[in-house]
């Protein structure tokens, strides 16, 4: 496992990695993550062609830049880690920047913001304050190994539905949507983010994947309705996961989550 994640991401599955790696299917031709976030399972997966997609265009642009730019860590270290600089960088409209500048902005804010949260206002502008645990970037080796691994992947901005409907027999998809219950606010991951009102449509996509011979692993919070719907056709495993309560130092709670798969 990478000693320090390249991208801090709320909902990252780093804590579940051992279980997830053991749950990967033995055989598949292509690895796909339609809600890729920091893609921590991808970085631990076998060498295979891959497709990583997410609705967050700043995130996908940053992964693309990490994939192609050997100098990116040095560029990031050149940006002063001060409060004044954080708010100056945050106020820049990324649509006025080139791909390299956008990636530097995204990765700098991600490293230094509160808890690695990605939240936007109604206009889609990133509005997370600077965190008090502002830290260093991972060592150059992590950037180098990530660049090498990302060479296996095609990266694309897409909704999960667009990605899932394009899959073919032989593909394997790790499906890890946000667990948000809220339907009305801009979402934990910005405008247009998945929420629980989209679950029915996602379950219909899972049935279609199964019919097409696409293997999938789906992770979600445990909820009795979801479990009873999915266990009719798929294998459902319950897990107890320790989660940090954001904003409260040393505070944790135990949450129940599920892993659902359509293969043995
Ligand atoms: C729980 S996180 C994924 C975490 C990831 N597995 C990891 O280990 O970092 C969910 C991701 O879904 C993305 N997302 C939210 N709504 C989406 C949608 N409708 N289509 C595609 N991606 C979406 C968010 O931007 C976020 O990166």
């Amino acid at each position: 496992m990478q000693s320090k994640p390249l991208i801090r991401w709320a909902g990252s599955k780093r804590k579940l990695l051992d279980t997830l790696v053991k749950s990967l299917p033995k055989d598949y031709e292509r690895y796909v993550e339609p809600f890729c976030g920091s893609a921590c399972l991808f970085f631990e997966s076998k060498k295979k062609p891959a497709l990583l997609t997410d609705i967050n265009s700043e995130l996908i642009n940053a992964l693309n830049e990490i994939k192609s730019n050997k100098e990116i860590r040095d560029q990031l270290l050149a940006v002063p880690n001060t409060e004044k600089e954080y708010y100056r960088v945050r106020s820049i409209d990324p649509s006025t920047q080139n791909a390299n500048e956008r990636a530097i902005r995204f990765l700098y804010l991600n490293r230094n913001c509160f808890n690695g949260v990605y939240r936007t206002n109604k206009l889609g502008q990133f509005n997370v304050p600077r965190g008090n645990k502002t830290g260093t970037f991972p060592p150059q080796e992590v950037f180098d190994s990530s660049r090498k691994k990302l060479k296996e992947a095609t990266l694309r901005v897409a909704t999960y539905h667009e990605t899932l409907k394009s899959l073919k027999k032989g593909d394997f998809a790790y499906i890890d949507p946000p667990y948000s219950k809220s339907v009305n606010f801009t979402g934990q991951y910005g405008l247009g983010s998945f929420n629980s009102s989209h679950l029915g449509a996602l379950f219909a996509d899972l049935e279609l994947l199964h019919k097409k011979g696409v293997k999938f692993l789906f992770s979600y919070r445990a909820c009795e309705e979801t479990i009873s719907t999915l266990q009719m056709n798929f294998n459902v495993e319950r897990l107890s996961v320790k989660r940090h309560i954001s904003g409260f130092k040393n505070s944790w709670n135990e949450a129940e989550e599920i892993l659902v798969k359509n293969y043995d």
Side-chain angles (χ1 to χ4, degrees), residues 18 29 46 55 67 93 106 115 118 164 192 216 248 260:
D18 286 349
E29 284 154 32
K46 282 187 273 188
I55 203 174
K67 177 179 172 177
D93 175 355
F106 175 89
N115 273 355
Y118 190 90
L164 292 182
F216 68 78
F248 296 93
V260 181

Side-chain angles (χ1 to χ4, degrees), residues 2-252:
Q2 288 174 342
S3 52
K4 195 169 192 178
L6 204 53
I7 295 180
R8 303 161 73 210
W9 209 241
S12 147
K13 290 297 170 297
R14 265 174 81 78
K15 291 217 169 59
L16 271 184
L17 261 183
D18 286 349
T19 309
L20 291 175
V21 169
K22 282 184 203 138
S23 304
L24 286 169
K26 284 188 188 68
D27 302 310
Y28 57 94
E29 284 154 32
R30 184 173 66 148
Y31 178 99
V32 182
E33 260 200 79
F35 295 95
C36 76
S38 65
C40 63
L41 181 58
F42 161 73
F43 285 107
E44 299 302 316
S45 64
K46 282 187 273 188
K47 190 169 189 303
K48 295 267 178 201
L51 173 64
L52 304 179
T53 69
D54 198 284
I55 203 174
N56 186 325
S57 54
E58 296 308 309
L59 168 77
I60 293 294
N61 175 65
L63 287 169
N64 249 323
E65 196 66 16
I66 292 165
K67 177 179 172 177
S68 60
N69 179 355
K70 285 186 184 166
E71 318 293 326
I72 194 158
R73 185 172 184 274
D74 291 339
Q75 292 183 313
L76 286 164
L77 293 179
V79 188
N81 183 6
T82 62
E83 178 142 353
K84 190 167 168 217
E85 185 65 4
Y86 179 88
Y87 289 102
R88 189 194 70 79
V89 172
R90 197 183 79 165
S91 71
I92 299 170
D93 175 355
S95 70
T96 63
Q97 298 181 297
N98 66 30
N100 175 252
E101 292 163 343
R102 276 171 63 201
I104 301 295
R105 177 180 178 274
F106 175 89
L107 292 168
Y108 172 86
L109 294 175
N110 173 264
R111 180 60 43 193
N112 294 304
C113 71
F114 179 75
N115 273 355
V117 173
Y118 190 90
R119 191 190 59 210
T120 58
N121 62 19
K122 286 194 177 125
L123 299 173
Q125 296 157 337
F126 182 78
N127 65 359
V128 180
R130 187 165 183 255
N132 43 19
K133 274 201 284 174
T134 66
T136 51
F137 286 93
Q140 183 64 42
E141 302 87 82
V142 174
F143 280 84
D144 290 341
S145 59
S146 303
R147 188 172 65 252
K148 193 167 162 222
K149 180 71 182 161
L150 283 167
K151 301 272 187 219
E152 295 162 20
T154 299
L155 298 155
R156 202 172 286 150
V157 179
T159 67
Y160 77 88
H161 179 68
E162 287 165 335
T163 300
L164 292 182
K165 80 175 182 217
S166 73
L167 302 194
K168 303 211 165 49
K169 189 174 163 63
D171 286 337
F172 160 69
Y174 172 46
I175 303 169
D176 181 32
Y179 296 175
S180 170
K181 289 185 199 164
S182 173
V183 190
N184 293 323
F185 90 133
T186 55
Q188 190 186 3
Y189 299 96
L191 283 173
S193 178
F194 182 95
N195 61 55
S196 54
S197 73
H198 303 125
L199 271 179
L202 176 58
F203 293 168
D205 285 337
L206 296 183
E207 297 288 348
L208 276 177
L209 291 179
H210 188 55
K211 279 196 191 123
K212 283 202 271 186
V214 174
K215 291 178 183 159
F216 68 78
L217 177 64
F218 166 63
S219 43
Y220 203 63
R221 70 184 148 79
C223 121
E224 292 315 317
E225 209 185 321
T226 303
I227 293 171
S228 58
T229 306
L230 293 175
Q231 73 187 4
M232 287 194 284
N233 293 329
F234 309 122
N235 305 323
V236 180
E237 184 186 348
R238 290 172 187 257
L239 304 168
S240 180
V241 183
K242 256 188 162 188
R243 288 247 167 260
H244 183 238
I245 305 170
S246 77
F248 296 93
K249 209 176 159 196
N250 301 327
S251 294
W252 302 84

